[in-house]
Amino acid sequence: QVQLVESGGGLVQAGGSLRLSCAASGRTFSMYAVGWFRQAPGKEREFLAAITQSVTTTYNADSVKGRFTISRDYTKNMVYLQMNSLKPEDTAIYYCAASRDYSGSNYDRYDFWGQGTQVTVSS
């Protein structure tokens, strides 16, 4: 079992930056790939980025376009999402999720989810 807790969300002006954190419990966290997703009101949950156990990263190029960077710190059981050049359309609840054997864009394939953190970008 893995428990995930996101933090770092908040209100930021367009063009600003935020770093989201995903804190994981459990000594086996290193055995999980982690993905970041977001969901805006009335929209589908959207894949943003994922990082594997071997620190291979993938991104949703259409949404991220070089603005977001995913990373992980095994010593702290943390995964981060650095978000730069934020836009009002980035406003959403951001979630991290973990899977032992999947690191793609299908949210149904992730086994564990955090409660989410709100990001609001003002224009």
Side-chain angles (χ1 to χ4, degrees):
Q1 288 283 337
V2 173
Q3 291 185 323
L4 305 173
V5 179
E6 301 94 337
S7 62
L11 175 63
V12 64
Q13 289 188 331
S17 298
L18 284 174
R19 188 179 79 158
L20 304 184
S21 298
C22 176
S25 64
R27 290 178 292 177
T28 62
F29 184 58
S30 61
M31 300 173 70
Y32 288 80
V34 176
W36 280 99
F37 293 78
R38 68 185 179 189
Q39 189 163 20
K43 294 190 176 182
E44 291 284 318
R45 190 162 296 191
E46 178 184 28
F47 169 76
L48 299 174
I51 188 164
T52 68
Q53 297 88 328
S54 59
V55 202
T56 299
T57 58
T58 57
Y59 293 93
N60 179 343
D62 290 341
S63 296
V64 173
K65 292 181 181 177
R67 300 183 297 128
F68 294 2
T69 303
I70 190 171
S71 61
R72 69 190 301 167
D73 185 336
Y74 282 110
T75 65
K76 298 179 179 179
N77 267 9
M78 298 287 286
V79 173
Y80 304 100
L81 185 69
Q82 177 67 44
M83 306 188 297
N84 300 325
S85 302
L86 285 163
K87 307 173 183 180
E89 52 264 42
D90 292 318
T91 295
I93 299 174
Y94 284 68
Y95 300 90
C96 63
S99 171
R100 286 285 294 268
D101 57 4
Y102 183 74
S103 61
S105 60
N106 187 344
Y107 61 80
D108 283 337
R109 297 284 302 275
Y110 288 83
D111 302 307
F112 303 101
W113 289 83
Q115 83 290 346
T117 186
Q118 176 71 47
V119 171
T120 302
V121 184
S122 63
S123 57

